Amino acid sequence: MNTKELFEAIRLFEKEKGISVEYLCEKIENVAKKIYGADGVDFSEEALEKIKTIEERAFADIHTLTSITFSGTMKMIAANAFEGCASLTSLKISESCEMIGSGAFSFCFNLRDVTVPDSVLLIEFSAFASCFSLEGIKLSAGMGMIDESTFEGCRSLKFVDMPPKLYKIGRRAFSGCASLEQIILPIT
């Protein structure tokens, strides 16, 4: 059953039984909390040790989410995992994370504070595109390239501290970054 079929089944159930979608979503969330030790996006220590990947669109378009702190053994944040989380202001990525997928934090309009640890080797295209409030970022020392459109449309971005192993900056990586004042390039 795909997502569209699931929502159609829920709608039919709602119509026939008089139970709202909101009620069903609340019950599903409660079950998830009990199974995975989750409370919103705050996970128990046990759950954090098991989570290796935040899957595609896992938290996309959650407009109430304001901050994220990853810890534990997470290795990857998949494509569009937090896309459109418009209220997100702060992000701290786990020291074990190696990859941030394409569009992972795109359209997080209020994202200001981002910590990218040295473990991150790859940030895919458009990962932070249209993060209008992002003012500055120090990139992981282990990164060799900045992919296409990574920071495109980050109109408040003022400074970027480039990684020392940098060998490539992709097309449109900083396009539309109208406030960009300082780029700290690596000494080679």
Side-chain angles (χ1 to χ4, degrees):
M1 178 178 280
N2 65 33
T3 306
K4 185 177 179 182
E5 292 169 332
L6 177 62
F7 280 116
E8 184 59 30
I10 290 171
R11 295 271 181 231
L12 288 173
F13 185 76
E14 179 183 27
K15 185 177 179 181
E16 293 296 318
K17 302 292 183 190
I19 297 174
S20 73
V21 171
E22 289 79 15
Y23 174 81
L24 290 173
C25 288
E26 181 181 340
K27 292 300 178 190
I28 291 169
E29 184 177 332
N30 287 337
V31 169
K33 285 178 184 179
K34 288 178 183 171
I35 293 172
Y36 298 109
D39 182 14
V41 291
D42 295 327
F43 292 93
S44 70
E45 289 301 317
E46 183 181 335
L48 284 172
E49 292 305 315
K50 293 178 182 177
I51 297 172
K52 303 290 183 211
T53 302
I54 304 292
E55 293 291 343
E56 288 185 26
R57 300 196 54 78
F59 296 95
D61 300 315
I62 297 177
H63 301 290
T64 55
L65 185 60
T66 58
S67 71
I68 304 167
T69 300
F70 294 110
S71 58
T73 58
M74 185 196 50
K75 298 283 185 195
M76 182 178 99
I77 302 169
N80 308 100
F82 293 90
E83 176 186 36
C85 292
S87 298
L88 184 64
T89 59
S90 177
L91 169 65
K92 186 171 190 315
I93 299 168
S94 169
E95 292 291 333
S96 62
C97 186
E98 297 173 356
M99 183 192 142
I100 299 172
S102 62
F105 298 97
S106 60
F107 302 103
C108 292
F109 301 128
N110 291 300
L111 184 59
R112 290 191 165 80
D113 183 25
V114 178
T115 303
V116 180
D118 288 343
S119 60
V120 175
L121 303 176
L122 176 63
I123 298 177
E124 290 186 336
F125 67 93
S126 298
F128 292 95
S130 297
C131 291
F132 298 149
S133 300
L134 187 62
E135 293 181 357
I137 191 161
K138 182 181 188 299
L139 296 171
S140 162
M143 287 178 54
M145 69 174 262
I146 298 171
D147 210 345
E148 293 180 23
S149 302
T150 300
F151 298 99
E152 184 172 10
C154 294
R155 58 186 178 210
S156 297
L157 190 64
K158 293 180 183 174
F159 77 90
V160 180
D161 191 347
M162 301 289 192
K165 296 180 182 179
L166 186 69
Y167 64 88
K168 179 182 176 183
I169 298 174
R171 291 181 309 175
R172 303 185 60 81
F174 296 97
S175 176
C177 296
S179 299
L180 197 56
E181 297 172 357
Q182 182 178 24
I183 299 174
I184 302 170
L185 295 171
I187 298 171
T188 55

